Amino acid sequence: MKFIKTLIAIFTLVILFSCEPIAKENKIDVAQILEKAEKQTALLLKSSETAGRIPRTVTAEGNMHWTNKNFDWTEGFFPGTCWYLFEHTNDTIWKNAADKYQNKFEGHKNRTDNHDLGFVFNSSYGNGYRLTKNEAFKDVMLTASNSLITRFNPAVGCIQSWDVEYGWQSKRNWQFPVIIDNMMNLELLFEVSELTGDTTYKDIAISHANTTMKNHFREDYSSYHVVDYDLITGEVRAKQTAQGFADNSSWARGQAWAVYGYTVCYRYTKDVKYLELAEHIANYIINYKETPKDGIPYWDYNAQNIPNEPRDASAAAITVSALIELNEYSKQDYQNSIDKILSSLASKEYTAELGTNHNFILKHSVGSIPHNNEIDVPLNYADYYYVEALLRYKSFLSKN
Ligand code: GLY
């Protein structure tokens, strides 16, 4: 009997010790990671101050690439990261930097030729208003929302993503393209409805989310990148891709935008169909068999040469930020996936040494392989969603 008890004790110890490395591997020292992120961004701010420009990425030749002064869908993310660092540190250096760099594109609030106003103005002025209650910031959000909703077509039920009269997109024979990324522009509209009491913005956001829910998803809850609509009848004309590997493939960042976008829809509406869709998308991402053990996806889940394809840290950063919020609402438990992705992003493989990587925090993201643009580079939005995820994680730890 004693022998059997000893055997059971040894067996239990073996099980316990064999589990420990996994727990250790994924251990996240969020304060230390944030400290490192702040130091690196302080260096990035220094180079921005010298150039007077907003950093976006690094070129194939290894030079800093600043945002386009005329308009750049990524221009809100650098001031947005500064707002998050202000939130974390309460240091006015970050508040002043955020204010200064978002001011550079304030005039873009009047643009009606682009759907990215939600990305641009929510990450910058939206965070600024949340943290400071500066009424002038709220006015900017309202003007940007009014510009954005000019692109809503009631026959389709969506906000048009790209104009089709010029640029590379004019060669695609589209009438009214809507990309899954556009789900990310809805947060600005939901927020502006809450701030003003005017439900116009929220109603448009809900219509867009419902139409996208109907047409963008496959049976396995992966998403098409582009759905093109007939602008008169609202009928679906085509389901295709622009930044993914193929029309039928699952572009990794698209899946990330989808899970984030529907989590936000649930936050504002508490409509359970959005929660369920977000859970399905999350499960698709988490359970995808060919994603490596570290949880950082290849740039497209169906890319042709997996495992010899670039990973996309930006998709992982967006996803993990969404999962932390989703975890609050869902009965499912995403903790293991959150810990795995965050600890991978915080590892040497994805986090740059201080002063390297042109002072961006994360390495190994992908902009658009079909456009041969930004392949295996740092991206300002990878850093933004990573810092956001770290703050969300910190807040989660303080409550639990
Ligand atoms: N359109 C935003 C992106 O490239 O993900």
Side-chain angles (χ1 to χ4, degrees):
M1 192 63 192
K2 202 173 168 196
F3 176 69
I4 291 174
K5 272 189 184 164
T6 312
L7 261 185
I8 290 171
I10 291 171
F11 184 70
T12 311
L13 279 174
V14 166
I15 295 285
L16 280 176
F17 279 108
S18 66
C19 289
E20 201 204 22
I22 298 168
K24 255 193 186 156
E25 236 172 60
N26 290 342
K27 198 162 176 274
I28 294 153
D29 184 344
V30 74
Q32 193 192 45
I33 299 169
L34 273 164
E35 191 186 325
K36 200 169 167 188
E38 191 201 359
K39 280 190 180 146
Q40 183 77 330
T41 311
L43 295 176
L44 186 62
L45 177 59
K46 229 184 219 173
S47 28
S48 302
E49 294 288 77
T50 309
R53 303 283 299 272
I54 298 173
R56 171 172 169 147
T57 181
V58 175
T59 65
E61 294 74 36
N63 301 316
M64 176 65 100
H65 182 83
W66 308 101
T67 56
N68 184 336
K69 284 181 188 167
N70 293 329
F71 186 84
D72 193 313
W73 79 272
T74 74
E75 61 199 7
F77 294 117
F78 178 63
T81 303
C82 295
W83 281 123
Y84 279 135
L85 290 173
F86 172 60
E87 182 174 9
H88 175 56
T89 61
N90 213 26
D91 186 335
T92 50
I93 283 180
W94 293 116
K95 180 173 180 277
N96 295 340
D99 205 6
K100 173 175 168 178
Y101 286 94
Q102 70 183 17
N103 203 35
K104 288 184 185 292
F105 55 77
E106 188 204 327
H108 298 171
K109 66 189 176 189
N110 295 308
R111 291 189 71 137
T112 54
D113 59 348
N114 207 295
H115 76 139
D116 288 319
L117 273 79
F119 270 119
V120 169
F121 287 97
N122 198 54
S123 55
S124 54
Y125 285 86
N127 275 312
Y129 182 72
R130 182 175 62 81
L131 295 170
T132 66
K133 301 293 175 242
N134 180 335
E135 285 297 306
F137 294 173
K138 185 164 99 181
D139 289 346
V140 173
M141 293 166 74
L142 179 59
T143 307
S145 296
N146 283 326
S147 302
L148 178 57
I149 63 171
T150 62
R151 300 178 69 78
F152 179 71
N153 176 332
V156 176
C158 278
I159 294 164
Q160 182 170 353
S161 292
W162 294 314
D163 286 356
V164 292
E165 294 81 16
Y166 52 84
W168 63 269
Q169 64 273 31
S170 63
K171 300 183 180 75
R172 298 293 300 264
N173 190 33
W174 288 326
Q175 284 190 15
F176 192 98
V178 177
I179 61 176
I180 191 65
D181 326 26
N182 206 340
M183 286 300 301
M184 298 296 285
N185 292 310
L186 307 185
E187 187 172 355
L188 177 72
L189 300 181
F190 279 123
E191 191 57 33
V192 162
S193 268
E194 297 232 323
L195 295 176
T196 61
D198 181 346
T199 58
T200 309
Y201 310 96
K202 179 179 174 175
D203 292 344
I204 287 177
I206 287 172
S207 169
H208 186 100
N210 291 346
T211 310
T212 300
M213 175 182 260
K214 191 166 131 212
N215 297 321
H216 256 82
F217 293 89
R218 307 184 184 97
E219 272 185 14
D220 63 0
Y221 296 101
S222 69
S223 164
Y224 288 94
H225 184 204
V226 186
V227 175
D228 184 42
Y229 294 92
D230 183 303
L231 59 88
I232 308 293
T233 66
E235 291 296 311
V236 171
R237 296 179 71 236
K239 298 186 178 191
Q240 298 179 328
T241 198
Q243 282 163 260
F245 165 62
D247 290 345
N248 274 322
S249 72
S250 306
W251 173 50
R253 198 163 53 255
Q255 314 315 304
W257 294 141
V259 67
Y260 194 115
Y262 281 99
T263 303
V264 167
C265 288
Y266 181 72
R267 183 203 305 162
Y268 284 98
T269 63
K270 296 294 172 226
D271 185 334
V272 77
K273 71 174 183 278
Y274 299 139
L275 176 63
E276 284 170 2
L277 181 55
E279 289 171 341
H280 285 307
I281 305 162
N283 293 341
Y284 172 87
I285 293 172
I286 289 166
N287 297 327
Y288 198 78
K289 290 213 165 43
E290 282 185 277
T291 297
K293 278 203 175 66
D294 65 6
I296 313 298
Y298 295 102
W299 70 280
D300 189 300
Y301 288 92
N302 311 108
Q304 207 170 17
N305 297 314
I306 288 173
N308 301 312
E309 293 278 357
R311 310 280 202 96
D312 184 9
S314 78
I318 297 155
T319 298
V320 76
S321 186
L323 289 182
I324 298 167
E325 181 172 5
L326 185 59
N327 211 35
E328 262 185 56
Y329 311 141
S330 176
K331 289 198 182 82
Q332 298 192 36
D333 186 354
Y334 295 106
Q335 191 65 50
N336 282 342
S337 301
I338 291 166
D339 288 355
K340 178 168 71 175
I341 299 171
L342 267 188
S343 56
S344 298
L345 290 175
S347 74
K348 277 191 189 146
E349 186 53 34
Y350 291 95
T351 293
E353 284 294 319
L354 199 64
T356 66
N357 203 34
H358 279 267
N359 305 322
F360 289 94
I361 303 167
L362 292 179
K363 307 182 274 186
H364 305 314
S365 289
V366 166
S368 180
I369 287 192
H371 297 92
N372 196 22
N373 192 31
E374 301 174 333
I375 302 169
D376 196 13
V377 290
L379 290 167
N380 60 10
Y381 49 98
D383 286 5
Y384 171 85
Y385 287 103
Y386 180 52
V387 174
E388 177 182 87
L390 291 168
L391 289 196
R392 286 179 174 189
Y393 195 82
K394 187 178 103 169
S395 156
F396 161 79
L397 290 180
S398 71
K399 287 186 220 150
N400 290 280

